[in-house]
Amino acid sequence: MSGTAHDRPGHGGPEGQGDHGDHGAHGGVDAMAVSATLHCLTGCAIGEIVGLLIGTGAGLGNGWTIALSIALAFVFGFTLSTLPLVKAGLGVGAALGIVLAADTLSIATMEVVDNLVVAVIPGAMDAGLVNVTFWISLMLSLVAAFAAAYPVNRFLLQRGKGHALTHRFHGAGDEATGVRRFIPTLPTGSLVAVIVAFILGGLVVSIADRL
C-alpha cells in the first residue's frame, strides 16, 4: 500500500526531490515551515501539559517532572506524525522510521528551549496548577519553542528533509481501507485550538482563585 502513496502524482521519489514543487504549490517553504512547526508543537504541547499535570499533581520533584514532560512530548509528537502515515498505508515500523528522521530535531529543539524558558522564569518550576505563573510560563515556553523550531524546520524543508519526508503521504489516508479507516484524522488547527482553550481556561481559573 505504501507504493500507492509514492506513485501519486507530484509526490516525488525517495530522496524527496519532488516535494519542493509541492511546497511551492502550497504557499512556499515559509508556509510549509509554519505548518510543520505547528504540527510538532501540538504533540510537544500535549506531552508537556500532561507531564506537568502529572508531575505537579503527584508532587514529583522538578527533575522528574521535566523528564516526564520531555518523554511524553516525544511520545505524543511522534504518535501524531505516525498515525497519518499508517493510515496512508505504511507499516508502523516504516512510518515510525520516517517520523524519527523527520521530527526528532524539531522536537528536540522545542524541548530544549521550552524547558530553558520555564527554568529561568522565577517560581515557574515550583508553581502549582492553580497558579498564574504556571500557565503564563507554559504559554511563554511554547511560543519560544515555536520561534526556535521554525528556522530549524525551514532549513530542513529547503533541503528535502524534515517534514518533506512525510509530505508525499499527505492525502493518501483519504483512500484508507480496512482497519486503517478507523485511524483518526486530527487536524493541526483543531488541536491548536483545543490546546489554546485549555491553557486559557487554566489561566482564568488561576486568576479567579487568586482573586
Side-chain angles (χ1 to χ4, degrees), residues 140-174:
L140 291 176
S141 68
L142 293 176
V143 170
F146 177 91
Y150 170 78
V152 173
N153 282 309
R154 191 178 189 282
F155 176 84
L156 293 173
L157 284 166
Q158 286 180 312
R159 287 153 182 77
K161 306 297 183 180
H163 270 242
L165 300 175
T166 62
H167 182 69
R168 69 186 64 139
F169 299 101
H170 291 181
D174 297 338

Side-chain angles (χ1 to χ4, degrees), residues 128-132 134-136 139 195-209:
L129 295 178
V130 188
N131 189 305
V132 174
F134 175 89
W135 297 101
I136 290 180
M139 287 190 288
I195 292 168
V196 170
F198 180 81
I199 294 176
L200 290 178
L203 179 60
V204 169
V205 170
S206 298
I207 293 174
D209 181 73

Side-chain angles (χ1 to χ4, degrees), residues 102-198:
D103 287 358
T104 299
L105 184 57
S106 176
I107 295 176
T109 300
M110 288 183 176
E111 287 308 295
V112 169
V113 173
D114 178 283
N115 286 284
L116 181 61
V117 170
V118 173
V120 299
I121 294 178
M125 291 301 302
D126 299 314
L129 295 178
V130 188
N131 189 305
V132 174
T133 301
F134 175 89
W135 297 101
I136 290 180
S137 65
L138 180 59
M139 287 190 288
L140 291 176
S141 68
L142 293 176
V143 170
F146 177 91
Y150 170 78
V152 173
N153 282 309
R154 191 178 189 282
F155 176 84
L156 293 173
L157 284 166
Q158 286 180 312
R159 287 153 182 77
K161 306 297 183 180
H163 270 242
L165 300 175
T166 62
H167 182 69
R168 69 186 64 139
F169 299 101
H170 291 181
D174 297 338
E175 305 168 1
T177 59
V179 295
R180 298 180 193 272
R181 301 195 315 272
F182 302 105
I183 296 177
T185 298
L186 303 171
T188 299
S190 298
L191 291 175
V192 170
V194 170
I195 292 168
V196 170
F198 180 81

